[in-house]
Amino acid sequence: MALVFAATLVGFLAHERRAVSPVVNLALFRIRMFTFSIVSLLLIATTISVLSFLMPFYIQDVLHFSPSFMGLIFLAAPVFTICLATVSGSSPTGSGRGRRPRSVSCRRWPPSPLGLFLRVDSHWLLRRS
């Protein structure tokens, strides 16, 4: 599978170099800041994906929690995102009345630090049995 990926990537890059209007402008990768940003984004996304895949096994097999409790832990982030989406959308503009945009700060949104404690790997939430 790695060989197929490598061959496809080489073919894609060769095609993009010859294309009149390429999908990816390869000249952007000459900018070091852009290249390092893309590489760091790739590493972060890979880490989060692996963590999301392995965390249920850790919670169930190592910490011995039930699948239902594990589901509740993983459900916290989407629920907070859905519930707070409208608040965060109107917060920078001051309720949408045409005011100057303001930065969202802890003064305007005190529950923001609460998210730091509601992570999946928070050990205060996962007491050992």
Side-chain angles (χ1 to χ4, degrees):
M1 191 159 15
L3 291 174
V4 172
F5 171 74
T8 305
L9 181 63
V10 168
F12 176 76
L13 292 175
H15 180 269
E16 287 295 302
R17 285 188 181 150
R18 290 187 311 247
V20 176
S21 60
V23 175
V24 178
N25 186 0
L26 298 177
L28 289 173
F29 288 98
R30 292 187 188 125
I31 304 170
R32 288 179 84 172
M33 183 64 77
F34 179 79
T35 303
F36 286 127
S37 299
I38 294 297
V39 169
S40 67
L41 179 64
L42 176 68
L43 290 174
I44 289 170
T46 304
T47 304
I48 290 172
S49 297
V50 169
L51 181 67
S52 297
F53 178 75
L54 293 178
M55 190 59 72
F57 299 110
Y58 174 74
I59 292 173
Q60 286 185 17
D61 297 336
V62 176
L63 297 179
H64 304 291
F65 286 111
S66 69
S68 300
F69 186 70
M70 185 212 48
L72 287 174
I73 292 171
F74 276 92
L75 192 62
V79 166
F80 273 101
T81 301
I82 291 168
C83 292
L84 301 178
T86 57
V87 175
S88 65
S90 65
S91 187
T93 59
S95 303
R97 289 191 283 246
R99 296 183 191 169
R100 283 185 300 140
R102 293 185 233 168
S103 64
V104 180
S105 64
C106 290
R107 178 182 59 83
R108 285 218 39 194
W109 191 237
S112 296
L114 182 64
L116 295 173
F117 299 108
L118 293 176
R119 295 180 3 186
V120 175
D121 58 349
S122 295
H123 292 292
W124 69 271
L125 180 65
L126 302 174
R127 285 178 273 156
R128 294 190 185 259
S129 51

